[in-house]
Every structure is written in C-alpha cells, then in structure tokens.
Amino acid sequence: MTVDELKKLGADTEEGIKRCAGNEAFYMKLVPMALDESKYSDLKKQIGEKDFNAAFETAHALKGVLANLSLTPLCDIICEITELLRAKQDTDYAPLLEKLDKVRGDFTAIL
Amino acid sequence: MSDFVKKRLNKKRRVLIVDDEEINRLLLQNILAQDYDVMLASNGEEALEIIHRENGKISLILLDLMMPVMDGFDFFEILKKDPDYGKIPVIVLTSDKEAEVKSLNLGVADFIPKPYDVPEVILVRIARTIQLFEDKNIIKATQFDDRTGLFNSEYFYEYSTFFDEFNANDSKDVIAVNVNRFHVINAMEGRAFGDQVLSCIAKGIKAYLEHAEGLACRHHADLFYLYLKSGDHEQALYESIVSALSGILEDAAGRIRIGVYKNADDSLEFGKKMDYALLACNSINGDYNRQIAYYDETIIKKEQYEEKLIHDLDRALEQHQFVVYFQPKYEILGEEPTLCSAEALIRWNHPELGMISPGVFIPLFENNGLISKVDRYVWKVAALQVARWRDTFGKIIPVSVNVSRVDMLSRGLTEEMKGIVKDAGIDADVFHLEVTESAYTDSQSDLIERVAGLRDAGFAIEMDDFGTGYSSLNMLTSLPFDILKLDMVFVRKIHTDEKALRLVGFILDIAKFLNVKVIAEGVENKEQYELLKSLGCDAIQGYYFSKPVPAEEFAKFI
C-alpha cells in the first residue's frame, strides 16, 4: 500500500499525515487498523438486530477514526449512516451498508 | 520567581488521554509525546484508576465522550465531585456541536473537535489550558511579599509541593536566613531603613537563585527561607547576601546568619523541614563570629536538652532546685571599699543534669517567656534574704534582682513588687531592680511609664549591661533610672587599652551629669579597681572582691 494508491481511492492523505505530525510511516501504520473488519461487522450486526443505540455508538466511533485519518470516501458513507442512526431512523440500511462494504473492499484490496 | 517557573515549565507535565479508539489515542499520543508525558486510558473507569494511582499528579485530561464501560460525561461528573482531583482541567474530544455545548456547560475547560485540528493547534490549546489553570491556582495561593518581591510564606509552602513533584528524585536543602538583632536596626534607624535592609537581603537571595534551582520566601519579619536542590549553597548564598547589603549595612558580615538543613528527609512535612533549618539558624543567634550552622546531631541534642529544661522547670521551682547566690557590690569612693549591696543571681542545681549555668537556661527562658517564673522565684527569695540579714546582723544590705524584658510588659508589675517587699517586711528602697539596657530599646514609651511607676513606689532602678545595647545619648536623658551598671566588656580592657580607659572616663562623666551612680561590673584585678576608683566610679562588682556565693557564705562580708 502506498500513499499514492490511497490518494487514488480518494483519501486526503496530506491532511491525514499532517495529523500524524508529518510522520508518513506512522500514518501508514494506522490506516490498516482503521480498516479492520470487526467494527464494520459489529455495525452490520447491530443494525440487523435493530439495536440502533449500539449501532450509533459503533458508527460514531468509526466516523471519528476515519475522519482523523481522512479516509474520506469511507468516512462519507459512515457519516450518512451515523446521522440516520442518531435520528433512530428505521430505514433500509442495506444499500448504504453494501456501498460501505464495497468501498472498504477497495481499500483493503491495496493493503 | 519567573526563573523558577520557567524552569518548571520545561519539565514535562503529564497528560491523560481517555478514548476507547486506539487510533485516536495513538494519534494524540504521537502529537503530544514530545512535550508531555502521556498516559492512556480506554474508558472512564480506567482513567479514574490511573488518576488515583498517580495521586492526581496530572496536568490535563483529554476526554472522549462516547465510550463503553464508563462514558465521558459519567467520568467527568465523578471527577468533578472529587475534592482532591476535581480541579484537574479537562478538554473534551468531540465531533458533535451539541456535545460541545453540553460539556462546556458542565465545566470542562475546552474542547478539541474531531477530526483533529493540525497538531500545532492542538498543542497550543493544551498548553493554554494548562497554563490558565496553573496561573489561576497560583494566583489564588499566593501573594508576593510586597517589601521584598519574594514569595510570601503561604505561596512558598504551596510551591514547595510543585518543586517536590517536579524534582522527585533529587534531594533538597532547606535554608533559613535571619538577621542578628534586627529589632535594634529598626529601633535605631527606623522602619524605613529596616525595610531597606530586608529588600537588600532579598536582592542577595534572588541573585543567588539565578544560578541555583529552587525558590525563596520572606516568611515574616527578618526571616527568609530557601528551598533548593541539594548542593554547596550556603557559603555562596551568604556572600551574595552580604554583598547586597554592603552598601547600606557596615557590619553586614556579622549580621547575617544562615541555618541549613541538608538533604531534607522526604518523609517529613515541609513545615518541619523549615523548623529544622530555623533551629540550626537560631543555634548561632547572637554569635557574630559564626554565620552558618547545620542541622545535625548536636542541634538535635541541644533541642532535646532545652526541651527537658522547659519540661522540668515547674518541678524545679516546686522542689527549690533553684538556688539564689549573692555577689557583693562595694562602694569605692572612700578610703576603704565598703559593702553597699548585693546582686541576686540564680543557679539551677538539677537532680540529673547537675549545676546548670544560668548562661544556658536564662537565654532559653527569656526567649519563651518562662523567665518570668524564674524571676519571680528569685525576687521572693532575695526579698526574704534582705529581711533575714537585717534580723541576724542588724544591718540592711540592699539587694538587686533582674527584671527581664517580658516582666516589664506586665501591667501589674508595680503592685506585684510592692506585694513582695511587703510580704518580706522590707522597704522598697532596699530592693533594686535591674532592667537590661536592651529592654529599653524595644518598647520605649510603655517601658518609661512602667519604670516611672516603680520608682514612684520607691524602688531603685539599675540599668543593667550598659554599653552592650544600642542606647543613644539622647535616650539616656529621657530614661528614668538611678544607677548605671557599666558592662564588663568596658572594664575588661581599661588597664591595657588607653581608649577603653578614656571611654569609661567619658561614661562616668555623663553619669555625673545625669546625676546617676555607676557600678562597674566584672572587675577582676587590683589595677582595674584602682583605675576605676581614680576615675570616680561609685561602686564595683566582680571577682576581685568575690564571685557570687550562697547566702550563708555571704555572711562573711557583712
């Protein structure tokens, strides 16, 4: 995985690396952690069980991490989900979750 | 002070990051690690554990709000109620505007939005919050001493804990600085000059602190303290102070005394450490040849010895362990010297410690006021002795007794004295009261009234130790007394030193002018006796005639 590859996927790597006090290696170490599957599967499970409070907390946490690393395409989708969950909307999350899976897949593919 | 604060600011403060997301914690840690010691907790419970474990020695908490186990709001509520740790400032990490408002209302110091700002912004926000908080606390805890610009004692105390905290692994020295007979400087030169002396001492201390790590205060009056990382401070500090004083105080070198408590025991409370330095400092009080003293075994022993004397005093009075001796005074104006009176002097025959010199216990009891008990004991014994000699030999031998400075402050003194002579069945005019010259310098107007009252009641007043205090000629004319006792330091050299001789002659002339008698103390040999006689001195006292002796032995002089 390189910075250029991340950039091509739409990550604002410049901003992300700035938050790492300019330490690119450190940034590149954090990115895979943010893509780790467990949080995402938690979210899917909680939404599936209509446990919107728990789902909101998970989405909210993911949002913070993704925003800090400026993994923008992923962050945008999570933001959308977070806001829906915050309003406790019992809507069909499947298209958003699908999209999330796909974009996350793009990122994990270059790991 | 700014120097110390600057040094202190260079120490790493501790920041606790509380966030359940590892990535967020790592990001902040990465930003802060260079300037702070960073501690990490993944929820409120863990954070509380860390705070307790570290005794609250944390400068700032960075707090995420949404966390499992214990969230940020719950954590903050518990923290705020804690009397010890509730004042640690908290910055909230959040991405919600709503949460920002809520947390600010709850009393958090600030917030850092997510996604994080650039590191520079975060660092500035953190530094400002810490500084604001510390300044606020400092201002509350302090005032500087107006006169000297040093810390006052409260602030010094407060800051010593910071100093300990940031220098936990270093040993430290506590130093007390005091001025010999500062009250005399005030009395003789005026308060404004006294203040000038204090500010020069402070200047000397500050100059020294530029090269040493530590802090200093003026505690009260002329007492200063320093708290420093251990080192060879005392000599250089002494020199710095003396040099700051040299412009205004001629005898500065002998005036300053310094007490050092080296490598202070950490387990002691700070006030105790200060006491030890002061004990060392006071152990050389009045000794113009020793400027620096250390707290050590001998001081501990001296302190214990003195405590024992204080403890044993009441029993000693009950059991008549005190013995009153009498030293004859001879009139020397006629052909042959004739016995004219006696001075009552105390000895302590302690059952365990043996004979204790009055030079040991009198200064001790003078300092703590207990001397008045001892004085009263002597007064009664001496008054009864006058009556006994009268009854045995048919002769009146007037006796003089010492009246300490603290006795002179007692409003009922005249009535008390009247009672004592009445009980003994003697007249007031054969009971002489010796008031030390230095007592006159202290509180003049009160004292003059009291002495005048005693004289009206018939008592004769002898001014004791004349020449050792700082009486001015002007004072001599305004003070009421009947007899001047010339201190032995003048007498000692009159037969070997022309100047000393002329000085005594001069004092005798003044006494004649003031129409008071002079008794010379400490006359030890024939030459001194004859010189004093030739100069017209009225009476002498000293080993030339006799040392102080018990009352029975005194009979041989009558």
Side-chain angles (χ1 to χ4, degrees):
Chain A
M1 181 181 63
T2 63
V3 174
D4 278 344
E5 287 170 330
L6 283 172
K7 224 186 261 178
K8 250 183 228 157
L9 289 175
D12 189 346
T13 51
E14 223 164 89
E15 201 182 71
I17 291 170
K18 238 190 234 169
R19 273 192 206 99
C20 293
N23 186 342
E24 188 185 304
F26 183 61
Y27 177 73
M28 297 304 276
K29 201 181 111 193
L30 295 181
V31 170
M33 291 167 70
L35 298 171
D36 182 74
E37 203 203 334
S38 64
K39 275 269 153 66
Y40 298 90
S41 52
D42 282 352
L43 178 67
K44 268 190 260 176
K45 190 166 161 251
Q46 286 153 350
I47 289 175
E49 289 165 359
K50 294 194 189 296
D51 185 352
F52 295 130
N53 283 333
F56 169 69
E57 281 178 23
T58 307
H60 187 269
L62 267 173
K63 179 186 128 186
V65 168
L66 295 169
N68 271 336
L69 297 177
S70 296
L71 300 177
T72 319
L74 266 173
C75 189
D76 287 347
I77 305 167
I78 281 288
C79 266
E80 211 175 316
I81 296 173
T82 307
E83 291 318 306
L84 287 170
L85 286 169
R86 189 197 299 276
K88 295 193 172 46
Q89 288 223 11
D90 189 4
T91 162
D92 183 10
Y93 288 89
L96 275 169
L97 290 175
E98 224 167 89
K99 204 166 144 198
L100 182 68
D101 261 355
K102 188 194 167 292
V103 177
R104 193 177 79 87
D106 293 344
F107 276 93
T108 49
I110 60 164
L111 277 182
Chain B
M1 108 114 197
S2 58
D3 206 47
F4 172 63
V5 171
K6 250 186 272 154
K7 276 178 189 156
R8 204 165 72 76
L9 286 172
N10 290 339
K11 306 278 172 194
K12 277 194 178 179
R13 288 175 173 71
R14 301 160 127 190
V15 173
L16 172 62
I17 299 171
V18 195
D19 195 319
D20 60 321
E21 282 304 321
E22 191 187 6
I23 292 173
N24 293 342
R25 290 197 301 265
L26 290 173
L27 271 171
L28 281 175
Q29 187 183 30
N30 180 53
I31 293 169
L32 300 182
Q34 208 172 353
D35 299 311
Y36 301 93
D37 280 337
V38 178
M39 286 176 289
L40 303 170
S42 62
N43 62 61
E45 256 180 35
E46 261 183 58
L48 286 174
E49 259 175 49
I50 291 174
I51 292 167
H52 283 276
R53 196 180 64 218
E54 301 298 328
N55 279 324
K57 284 176 185 161
I58 290 166
S59 297
L60 179 74
I61 298 168
L62 295 174
L63 179 67
D64 181 33
L65 289 176
M66 212 172 284
M67 291 179 292
V69 186
M70 183 192 282
D71 74 15
F73 288 117
D74 288 347
F75 165 81
F76 185 67
E77 218 155 285
I78 293 171
L79 182 78
K80 223 171 63 165
K81 282 188 195 132
D82 191 301
D84 295 324
Y85 312 134
K87 298 218 166 68
I88 302 173
V90 174
I91 292 180
V92 158
L93 310 164
T94 177
S95 52
D96 301 336
K97 285 283 162 220
E98 214 177 294
E100 281 168 17
V101 175
K102 184 180 172 193
S103 44
L104 285 173
N105 280 334
L106 281 174
V108 306
D110 198 359
F111 59 87
I112 288 176
K114 283 181 190 169
Y116 297 151
D117 283 314
V118 289
E120 292 77 14
V121 175
I122 293 178
L123 284 170
V124 169
R125 274 184 119 129
I126 287 175
R128 282 202 45 193
T129 301
I130 292 177
Q131 193 164 6
L132 266 174
F133 164 79
E134 288 183 357
D135 284 353
K136 192 178 87 190
N137 269 358
I138 287 165
I139 288 162
K140 222 176 18 183
T142 88
Q143 293 289 330
F144 287 98
D145 171 49
D146 291 340
R147 218 159 288 173
T148 61
L150 292 175
F151 296 158
N152 66 15
S153 56
E154 289 83 16
Y155 192 16
F156 181 66
Y157 216 94
E158 182 86 13
Y159 236 110
S160 72
T161 59
F162 282 105
F163 192 64
D164 282 339
E165 207 173 291
F166 288 100
N167 299 283
N169 297 322
D170 300 299
S171 67
K172 275 142 261 165
D173 300 343
V174 186
I175 298 180
V177 178
N178 208 334
V179 184
N180 283 322
R181 298 182 67 80
F182 181 69
H183 66 280
V184 176
I185 295 180
N186 264 339
M188 297 300 296
E189 312 284 346
R191 291 223 169 252
F193 182 76
D195 287 354
Q196 219 179 315
V197 169
L198 295 177
S199 86
C200 281
I201 293 173
K203 227 181 269 171
I205 290 174
K206 281 183 208 157
Y208 182 72
L209 276 182
E210 278 173 22
H211 313 290
E213 242 180 293
L215 56 156
C217 76
R218 182 169 83 108
H219 191 266
H220 68 275
D222 57 330
L223 177 60
F224 298 77
Y225 283 101
L226 291 91
Y227 191 43
L228 304 161
K229 273 196 193 176
S230 288
D232 291 327
H233 301 297
E234 47 281 2
Q235 190 58 36
L237 172 67
Y238 167 73
E239 280 160 19
S240 178
I241 294 171
V242 170
S243 118
L245 277 170
S246 62
I248 63 163
L249 206 61
E250 260 178 40
D251 56 349
R255 284 280 187 178
I256 295 300
R257 62 176 200 275
I258 288 179
V260 188
Y261 176 33
K262 276 210 176 287
N263 304 319
D265 180 350
D266 267 346
S267 67
L268 291 174
E269 146 189 19
F270 191 62
K272 198 77 195 159
K273 298 178 195 171
M274 289 162 73
D275 287 348
Y276 286 174
L278 184 60
L279 267 176
C281 187
N282 284 343
S283 71
I284 47 171
N285 189 2
D287 183 346
Y288 283 58
N289 296 315
R290 278 188 68 199
Q291 268 58 57
I292 297 171
Y294 299 88
Y295 182 78
D296 61 11
E297 278 298 308
T298 51
I299 289 190
I300 300 169
K301 281 203 185 110
K302 183 168 180 269
E303 186 190 11
Q304 285 167 346
Y305 183 77
E306 292 185 345
E307 259 166 36
K308 179 161 179 58
L309 295 189
I310 291 167
H311 175 263
D312 292 350
L313 173 61
D314 283 337
R315 201 184 332 147
L317 289 166
E318 271 167 37
Q319 299 179 349
H320 301 284
Q321 291 171 15
F322 287 103
V323 188
V324 180
Y325 278 37
F326 296 88
Q327 187 172 36
K329 301 176 196 173
Y330 280 88
E331 208 166 80
I332 56 169
L333 289 173
E335 273 301 293
E336 288 295 313
T338 54
L339 178 70
C340 62
S341 63
E343 178 175 0
L345 293 158
I346 192 151
R347 299 287 181 268
W348 186 349
N349 192 1
H350 194 284
E352 295 157 53
L353 305 170
M355 270 294 181
I356 304 170
S357 159
V360 171
F361 67 83
I362 287 183
L364 169 68
F365 292 152
E366 272 175 345
N367 277 336
N368 59 25
L370 290 171
I371 192 68
S372 60
K373 287 189 182 184
V374 179
D375 283 345
R376 277 160 180 76
Y377 181 85
V378 177
W379 299 344
K380 284 177 192 151
V381 172
L384 287 171
Q385 192 59 52
V386 175
R388 201 164 296 140
W389 281 328
R390 180 197 59 203
D391 299 344
T392 314
F393 301 102
K395 268 194 184 170
I396 297 284
I397 314 293
V399 166
S400 63
V401 294
N402 286 292
V403 181
S404 301
R405 194 182 301 194
V406 50
D407 300 326
M408 294 306 297
L409 300 174
S410 155
R411 284 180 189 285
L413 184 65
T414 305
E415 287 310 308
E416 202 181 347
M417 283 292 181
K418 280 189 190 159
I420 285 170
V421 291
K422 193 175 162 226
D423 288 348
I426 60 170
D427 293 331
D429 62 355
V430 297
F431 204 59
H432 295 191
L433 309 179
E434 298 198 10
V435 181
T436 176
E437 182 199 351
S438 59
Y440 281 89
T441 16
D442 275 359
S443 53
Q444 280 196 42
S445 63
D446 278 11
L447 190 103
I448 290 171
E449 268 173 47
R450 202 139 296 147
V451 172
L454 285 164
R455 288 179 87 210
D456 289 345
F459 296 98
I461 306 296
E462 302 188 5
M463 188 195 264
D464 201 9
D465 305 325
F466 179 77
T468 59
Y470 290 81
S471 305
S472 64
L473 289 176
N474 182 40
M475 275 169 62
L476 278 181
T477 60
S478 62
L479 296 176
F481 62 96
D482 306 279
I483 294 165
L484 193 155
K485 291 195 80 177
L486 187 60
D487 195 79
M488 57 181 72
V489 295
F490 292 96
V491 176
R492 199 177 295 144
K493 284 192 289 184
I494 51 169
H495 59 301
T496 54
D497 181 347
E498 176 71 20
K499 262 194 203 157
L501 181 65
R502 265 187 277 156
L503 184 58
V504 170
F506 177 62
I507 294 172
L508 287 165
D509 285 344
I510 294 172
K512 250 178 226 125
F513 169 75
L514 294 171
N515 202 20
V516 295
K517 287 188 172 176
V518 175
I519 299 175
E521 288 183 285
V523 179
E524 288 180 348
N525 57 47
K526 197 158 193 255
E527 283 165 285
Q528 292 169 337
Y529 158 63
E530 278 170 353
L531 280 167
L532 287 163
K533 186 175 158 72
S534 71
L535 288 170
C537 181
D538 298 273
I540 63 172
Q541 175 182 349
Y543 277 46
Y544 176 59
F545 286 115
S546 172
K547 61 183 184 187
V549 295
E552 310 79 58
E553 208 179 305
F554 192 88
K556 70 184 180 200
F557 302 119
I558 301 176

